[in-house]
């Protein structure tokens, strides 16, 4: 599968996408000399902010996309560095004071096992801070699944299904994993976009990249057009367009 993360496309909605990141950073309790890992660190700008805000001793950003890492490397230095790696391969040697991940873990399935592994990366008193979108059941996501079924032959049957847990189930899981403090919340981020076209562009920079990896570029363009056509059947043609986006913020301390 090829690397279809495109930093420019992803950063088109940087202001909107960054808001939950800052809310997540605000949940972390500050202390000196923190060792931090940022899983799915993307273009690195936010990892740099995290590193500086926490005045961390060491921060390692991990990402599976070489395209994203190329952008991120400009921020390296003063205890911050980036490494190529897959979250599922348990990257980052040793234990951490903060295991952080903003808008990346939704790509992985099996969150009970994943969070157990992340908990095991924590030092005593360590903190876990995760933000994940929870849009799987929304029509904008369901339409991508429907479009994938229409392109089943070209995709070889591939369908990107995202399945995150409910906020209550994350809270229960943290308790079960021995987090003595926790704060889990569902937050609706209301994004005011120029038009409904921007919703399709939004997903071109994230959800649809999974399909781009599985298709020839001309076929992928047809895929995006078909997705947009379906989207416009359900989204009103309003300018600006109000786009409510649901996210779960998870913080816990052991
Ligand atoms: C939506 S972006 C978020 C980037 C950054 N955390 C931010 O808040 O801007 C998701 C990032 O996770 C990375 N990613 C997705 N799946 C991954 C995996 N299994 N292992 C490592 N990185 C992954 C992607 O390459 C991408 O850079």
């Amino acid at each position: 599968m090829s690397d279809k993360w495109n930093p420019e496309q992803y950063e088109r909605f940087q202001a909107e996408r960054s808001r939950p990141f800052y809310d997540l950073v605000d949940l972390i309790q500050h202390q000196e000399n923190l060792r931090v890992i940022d899983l799915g660190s993307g273009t690195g700008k936010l990892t740099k902010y995290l590193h500086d805000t926490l005045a961390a001793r060491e921060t390692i950003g991990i990402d599976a996309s070489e395209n994203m890492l190329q952008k991120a490397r400009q921020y390296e230095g003063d205890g911050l560095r980036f490494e190529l790696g897959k979250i599922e391969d348990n990257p980052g040697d040793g234990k951490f004071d903060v295991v952080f991940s903003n808008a990346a873990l939704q790509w992985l399935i099996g969150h009970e096992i994943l969070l157990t592994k992340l908990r095991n990366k924590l030092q005593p008193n360590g903190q876990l801070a995760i933000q994940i979108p929870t849009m799987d059941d929304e029509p904008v996501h369901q339409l991508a699944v429907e479009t994938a079924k229409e392109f089943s032959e070209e995709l070889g049957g591939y369908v990107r299904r995202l399945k995150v847990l409910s906020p209550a189930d994350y809270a229960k899981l943290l308790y079960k994993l021995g987090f003595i403090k926790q704060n889990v919340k569902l937050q609706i981020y209301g994004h005011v976009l120029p038009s409904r076209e921007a919703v399709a562009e939004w997903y071109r920079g994230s959800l649809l990249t999974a399909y781009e990896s599985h298709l020839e570029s001309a076929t992928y363009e047809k895929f995006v057009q078909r997705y947009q056509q379906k989207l416009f059947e359900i989204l009103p043609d309003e300018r600006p367009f109000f786009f409510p986006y649901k996210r779960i913020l998870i913080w816990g301390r052991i």
Side-chain angles (χ1 to χ4, degrees), residues 5 10 40 42 46 63-65 68 85-88 102-104 107-108:
W5 279 96
Y10 181 72
L46 298 179
D63 207 284
S65 162
M68 291 300 214
K86 287 191 174 170
I87 299 163
E88 55 273 37
N102 185 57
W107 304 106
L108 298 167

Side-chain angles (χ1 to χ4, degrees), residues 3 5-8 10-11 14 17 21 38-48 60-76 80-85 87 100-105 107 205:
D3 180 0
W5 279 96
N6 177 331
E8 285 72 36
Y10 181 72
E11 290 202 329
Q14 196 185 20
R17 292 199 202 272
F21 165 86
D38 180 8
L39 300 168
S41 46
T43 52
K45 197 171 175 181
L46 298 179
T47 314
K48 165 84 175 138
I60 308 172
I62 302 285
D63 207 284
S65 162
E66 195 50 66
N67 290 346
M68 291 300 214
L69 285 170
Q70 266 175 24
K71 274 256 175 187
R73 294 221 163 88
Q74 66 183 300
Y75 302 109
E76 283 191 332
L80 170 63
R81 70 175 197 276
F82 293 90
E83 289 177 7
L84 183 67
I87 299 163
F100 183 93
S101 184
N102 185 57
L105 299 187
W107 304 106

Side-chain angles (χ1 to χ4, degrees), residues 140-252:
V140 281
H141 274 227
Q142 290 303 318
L143 292 179
V145 172
E146 278 182 27
T147 311
K149 286 183 184 158
E150 288 179 19
F151 283 73
S152 180
E153 204 170 303
E154 294 89 331
L155 285 165
Y158 172 78
V159 178
R160 169 58 112 182
R161 287 184 197 279
L162 303 176
K163 198 69 212 141
V164 302
L165 305 180
S166 70
D169 282 343
Y170 283 112
K172 280 190 240 170
L173 185 55
L174 290 193
Y175 180 75
K176 197 174 113 189
L177 292 175
F179 285 84
I180 53 169
K181 287 186 180 168
Q182 62 162 271
N183 189 351
V184 178
K185 50 188 174 183
L186 176 68
Q187 174 91 36
I188 316 293
Y189 290 89
H191 300 309
V192 180
L193 303 179
S195 66
R196 61 185 181 172
E197 276 79 3
V199 178
E201 281 303 301
W202 176 289
Y203 281 115
R204 196 189 252 275
S206 53
L207 178 72
L208 300 187
T209 56
Y211 295 108
E212 190 176 5
S213 313
H214 285 78
L215 295 171
E216 300 280 326
S217 61
T219 315
Y220 176 63
E221 284 313 312
K222 284 188 198 148
F223 182 97
V224 175
Q225 274 169 22
R226 182 67 182 129
Y227 171 70
Q228 181 162 313
Q229 191 183 23
K230 284 173 172 289
L231 207 57
F232 289 1
E233 284 166 16
I234 60 156
L235 301 183
D237 187 8
E238 291 169 354
R239 287 156 202 265
F241 186 85
F242 183 76
F243 181 40
Y245 203 93
K246 295 188 294 183
R247 296 176 183 272
I248 305 173
L249 289 97
I250 301 163
W251 174 84

Side-chain angles (χ1 to χ4, degrees), residues 29 96-100 105 111-130 169-184 250-254:
Q29 296 177 345
F96 293 86
D97 301 296
V98 178
V99 172
F100 183 93
L105 299 187
H111 276 197
E112 287 89 352
I113 293 169
L114 178 63
L115 263 67
T116 307
K117 282 188 189 165
L118 299 185
R119 188 245 176 266
N120 291 338
K121 295 181 86 61
L122 290 173
Q123 307 262 29
N125 285 319
Q127 303 175 62
L128 180 70
I130 297 171
D169 282 343
Y170 283 112
K172 280 190 240 170
L173 185 55
L174 290 193
Y175 180 75
K176 197 174 113 189
L177 292 175
F179 285 84
I180 53 169
K181 287 186 180 168
Q182 62 162 271
N183 189 351
V184 178
I250 301 163
W251 174 84
R253 176 161 217 156
I254 56 173

